[in-house]
Amino acid sequence: MKKNQFTAWMEAARPKTLAASISPVLVGVALAYRDDVFKVGAAILCLGVALFAQIASNFANDYFDFKKGADGSDRLGPERAVASGWITPKDMLVGTFLMLALACALGCGLLFYAGWELIFVGLAIAVCVLAYSAGPYPLAYHGLGDVCVLLFYGIIPVCYTYYVQALEFSLLAFLLSLAIGMLSINILVVNNYRDYEQDKQASKRTSIVLFGRRFGLGFYLVNLVLAMLICLPLIAYAPIWLIILYGAYFALAISTWLELRRKRGKALNRTLGHTSRNVLLFALLLVLTLCVL
């Protein structure tokens, strides 16, 4: 089915997954606010870098998965723009580097808030955007996707969002980054759980292909529980109304895990959206907690 170019590019950006880039930045900003080091300019730049870097990654995955034959006619996930013929491979590659250039340009703005060492962080982000699904050793094809998510959708964005404002690192930022990173991994788990058969045929050795669907179910639940346990010392000091909200969140997250157990195929696209939503909800709960304590 043909789509106009605006709709095609919007769908290629995969807006339902963008909570994974927004959430860690929100947590880092809230922690900076709590510690009276909040800088609005730095916060906006961090959010822009995170969003454009993830969109660049989504575009790159669309392009390189098509080139590697991972997106066939039996694809179960949301339609890919290049494989569906909405956007040419050349245009998608140009779009990838354009989004990456925008992320880098905004990242250069952060040099005015922190030191030149941020250049190395920016280079690591840029390399991972491309190396995730491209190059001689694509990380997503060798079981390293989960590690990349933990680093680039958890540890790095939370810790460095805080750092560019406070000019120092924080143990609490690191712990919260682990929690957000683990929940973000679950977005990838659902994606790979759904695509188990197709990834296996395409020699894409995700953690689910390597260890099986049963592992995926357990991995999802462990990430969910560990994220809550890591934050428990912080949650314990929250007012009762917030603790109740955390309880409601945990019930919602468990219901999403039960969805993962029950569903197969394209029905899991809804579970993917629910998992992404849960990451954002948890981040918002952490923001509320940091602001009221």
Side-chain angles (χ1 to χ4, degrees):
M1 184 176 68
K2 286 287 185 183
K3 290 184 182 287
N4 66 60
Q5 285 297 288
F6 177 78
T7 303
W9 283 106
M10 284 296 294
E11 291 196 18
R14 298 169 68 188
K16 288 184 179 180
T17 67
L18 295 182
S21 56
I22 295 170
S23 298
V25 175
L26 291 178
V27 173
V29 167
L31 187 56
Y33 177 82
R34 191 201 71 153
D35 291 348
D36 295 321
V37 293
F38 172 67
K39 294 181 176 69
V40 63
I44 291 171
L45 287 172
C46 286
L47 185 60
V49 170
L51 278 172
F52 284 123
Q54 186 179 359
I55 293 170
S57 179
N58 290 342
F59 286 176
N61 292 344
D62 198 307
Y63 173 82
F64 289 109
D65 282 351
F66 170 76
K67 286 293 187 180
K68 293 177 185 297
D71 288 337
S73 58
D74 59 345
R75 177 172 169 78
L76 299 173
E79 291 180 272
R80 288 287 183 89
V82 175
S84 299
W86 306 336
I87 298 170
T88 67
K90 180 182 177 181
D91 286 347
M92 184 59 77
L93 191 60
V94 170
T96 298
F97 283 105
L98 177 61
M99 292 297 104
L100 195 54
L102 287 171
C104 290
L106 292 176
C108 288
L110 290 171
L111 297 176
F112 292 100
Y113 292 92
W116 58 268
E117 63 272 12
L118 286 182
I119 292 173
F120 296 106
V121 179
L123 285 173
I125 292 170
V127 168
C128 186
V129 164
L130 298 174
Y132 187 80
S133 53
Y137 195 85
L139 302 175
Y141 285 71
H142 292 86
L144 295 173
D146 310 294
V147 176
C148 290
V149 170
L150 181 62
L151 284 173
F152 293 97
Y153 294 94
I155 295 172
I156 288 175
V158 174
C159 292
Y160 277 94
T161 295
Y162 181 81
Y163 176 80
V164 297
Q165 297 172 87
L167 298 181
E168 63 181 9
F169 291 107
S170 158
L171 177 60
L172 181 56
F174 176 70
L175 293 174
L176 296 182
S177 76
L178 290 177
I180 290 293
M182 288 173 182
L183 294 178
S184 294
I185 286 173
N186 281 349
I187 298 174
L188 185 62
V189 169
V190 177
N191 192 71
N192 294 340
Y193 185 90
R194 179 199 63 211
D195 295 342
Y196 172 76
E197 297 293 346
Q198 291 75 19
D199 286 344
K200 200 172 181 180
Q201 290 172 10
S203 298
K204 187 175 182 179
R205 293 182 293 170
T206 65
S207 59
I208 311 300
V209 168
L210 290 171
F211 304 113
R213 278 200 170 114
R214 183 174 292 183
F215 165 83
L217 287 172
F219 192 30
Y220 188 107
L221 185 60
V222 167
N223 284 332
L224 172 59
V225 172
L226 281 179
M228 291 293 294
L229 288 176
I230 287 170
C231 297
L232 203 55
L234 182 68
I235 297 169
Y237 288 99
I240 188 65
W241 60 271
L242 252 179
I243 293 174
I244 291 170
L245 286 179
Y246 276 106
Y249 163 81
F250 189 70
L252 181 65
I254 289 295
S255 74
T256 306
W257 176 69
L258 292 173
E259 266 186 50
L260 182 63
R261 290 188 63 186
R262 291 193 307 265
K263 294 183 177 179
R264 285 289 188 276
K266 292 188 176 182
L268 285 169
N269 291 332
R270 186 175 176 83
T271 308
L272 183 68
H274 290 166
T275 301
S276 181
R277 172 205 64 194
N278 292 349
V279 177
L280 182 58
L281 287 176
F282 191 74
L284 292 174
L285 284 173
L286 290 177
V287 168
L288 273 174
T289 306
L290 291 168
C291 288
V292 301
L293 289 183

